Amino acid sequence: MSASNPTVIVTATVPAKLNLGLAIVGRRDDGFHDLCSVMQTITLCDHLRIEATPRPDSRPIVTLLGVAARNGDVAIDDPGIGASDNLAVRAVTTVLAALGSGGDFGIGLEKGIPAASGMGGASADAAAAILTTEQATSVSLGDDDRGRIAAGLGSDVPFFLKGGTALVTGRGERVDPLPAIVPTSFVVVFPRLLVPIPRKTARLFGALTPDDLNGGEDVRCQVSRIMNGEPIDPALLGNGFSRALLGIAPELGDIRRSMDKVCGQPVVLSGAGPTHYVVEPDRERAEWDVAQLQVAFGDQAMVVRCDPWAGPPEITLGFRRPTS
Ligand code: C5P
């Protein structure tokens, strides 16, 4: 290693998402499903760090330096995914191959977003890994290649490149940005003690019946409200996975009933779960709800108040130190 190869440290604060309504429209010939959803990034975050020593003339070596729980409170293992298949590692490897860049790239993750929670943590990390790798190599992929790589990594990844509020359709790769929603709090509950469901998303898609499908009319009504600057209507926040998920994990019924009793607002499923949330426009009331639910659930669940997060991951190009 020579002093001309400095290490670049790039860090990213990576927001989770909630689905503000999720319709599953139908099964496609390629085995995926067409979706119609409003996705919203929120202020529950992972932190990703890339330590890069680019060397244009050598092969890329991508290493997972570590995955840590940020507050000792979050699940960091997705039961369906081994460490070698970490989506952020795959993202960095894919970007380096597309750019033809080489060198040593170490990735560290601090998880604030529970894994396999329906809040898109792994997809968010993958999107952030794409953006930070471009920063670390000082080469831009361009919108088309970036979007193609994101969609190849997972259906939710393209949304996280831009974040904010967006209508997401197709299998997840069509992302139409929307204006920011009227500010509101989300009371977010992740049932921590639930037995993890291996390959949860694929399994839930497989458990859908024709009654779980719809054309996304409610989602499109919500989109009209957002475009008109009206507040989110909780009555339009249905999720096509709700019935199938309750069939696989009936104990979620108790969590939903407790949330309903405390918050007095519709209880909504995010993604393929098991995270549920309520929309509470009044911040003080949301804080009160969180305190009540923390007492009610104890170790059973992580309960947090979140705000909407306006855009993509926040990226900081750190210091460069010469290596010897
Ligand atoms: O793309 P992702 O890795 O998130 O998808 C995991 C699995 O979920 C897919 O293999 C597919 O079985 C299912 N899926 C689907 N329709 C989508 C997204 C995912 O059927 N729009």
Side-chain angles (χ1 to χ4, degrees), residues 205-238:
F205 272 114
L208 296 175
T209 67
D211 284 348
D212 297 320
L213 311 181
N214 73 69
E217 293 79 8
D218 283 357
V219 173
R220 291 190 186 274
C221 279
Q222 193 79 265
V223 168
S224 300
R225 291 180 64 84
I226 293 169
M227 295 185 76
N228 291 333
E230 296 171 50
I232 292 296
D233 181 353
L236 297 173
L237 294 175

Side-chain angles (χ1 to χ4, degrees), residues 2 4-5 53-61 96 99-105 137 139:
S2 82
S4 61
N5 291 322
T53 311
R55 280 193 216 93
D57 300 332
S58 64
R59 287 179 40 241
I61 299 173
L96 293 174
L99 296 176
S101 300
D104 293 328
F105 292 78
T137 52
V139 188

Side-chain angles (χ1 to χ4, degrees), residues 7-54:
T7 298
V8 185
I9 313 280
V10 191
T11 56
T13 305
V14 187
K17 61 87 176 159
L18 294 175
N19 293 84
L20 307 184
L22 170 59
I24 299 148
V25 178
R27 194 163 193 277
R28 312 174 353 163
D29 290 343
D30 63 4
F32 281 87
H33 292 75
D34 278 323
L35 310 175
C36 182
S37 181
V38 172
M39 288 198 195
Q40 172 66 56
T41 39
I42 56 168
T43 53
L44 178 68
C45 294
D46 280 353
H47 289 258
L48 179 138
R49 174 185 174 90
I50 291 197
E51 299 185 14
T53 311

Side-chain angles (χ1 to χ4, degrees), residues 104-115:
D104 293 328
F105 292 78
I107 304 164
L109 277 169
E110 273 183 32
K111 299 290 295 176
I113 311 168

